[in-house]
Amino acid sequence: VLDGDGSIVSTTKVPNVVQFVGSHQFLTSLHPRISHLSETSARTQRQDSTSRKISRVAWSARDDVIKLLRWMYPEGNYLALARKRAKATLILKRLAA
C-alpha cells in the first residue's frame, strides 16, 4: 500500500505526470523498487527546490504513466482512494484512445 504525498497531474501544458514526493532518504530506496515492480523506466530523483530534505520522482512518458497507473490501480476491487482511482482511470482511458 502506498500512502503519502504524490499526485497525478493532467493539464494542457503537462499532459500526464505521476509523481511521488517524500524525504530524500525514503525515496532513494522506494523509487527504484517502484520502477522495477511497475516495469517503468528508471527515474532521476530530484531534490525539491524549497527543502534539502524533500525529493520528488516523476514519470511523464506515456508508456511509463500507463504502466505505473495500471500497477497502482489494477482492475478489481482493491484498496484505493476513490478520487485517485477515478483520476487514474480517466487518464488511462485518455491514453488508450
Side-chain angles (χ1 to χ4, degrees):
V1 174
L2 294 174
D3 182 24
D5 291 334
S7 60
I8 302 170
V9 179
S10 184
T11 67
T12 54
K13 289 184 180 182
V14 182
N16 303 292
V17 175
V18 177
Q19 69 179 356
F20 294 95
V21 179
S23 74
H24 184 74
Q25 182 179 359
F26 177 68
L27 284 181
T28 297
S29 66
L30 180 65
H31 93 263
R33 293 181 3 208
I34 291 172
S35 290
H36 174 74
L37 292 170
S38 64
E39 299 179 350
T40 56
S41 303
R43 300 303 309 147
T44 302
Q45 183 171 319
R46 300 185 190 275
Q47 200 170 45
D48 191 79
S49 60
T50 58
S51 171
R52 294 183 196 163
K53 295 180 181 180
I54 303 297
S55 291
R56 66 185 65 240
V57 180
W59 288 263
S60 58
R62 180 184 178 278
D63 289 347
D64 282 345
V65 169
I66 290 170
K67 288 177 187 177
L68 188 59
L69 291 178
R70 285 183 178 162
W71 174 72
M72 291 174 61
Y73 300 98
E75 295 284 330
N77 189 18
Y78 294 95
L79 180 62
L81 290 175
R83 64 184 171 83
K84 290 190 177 186
R85 180 180 286 279
K87 184 105 178 210
T89 301
L90 176 70
I91 289 174
L92 284 169
K93 284 181 182 178
R94 187 179 309 148
L95 291 174

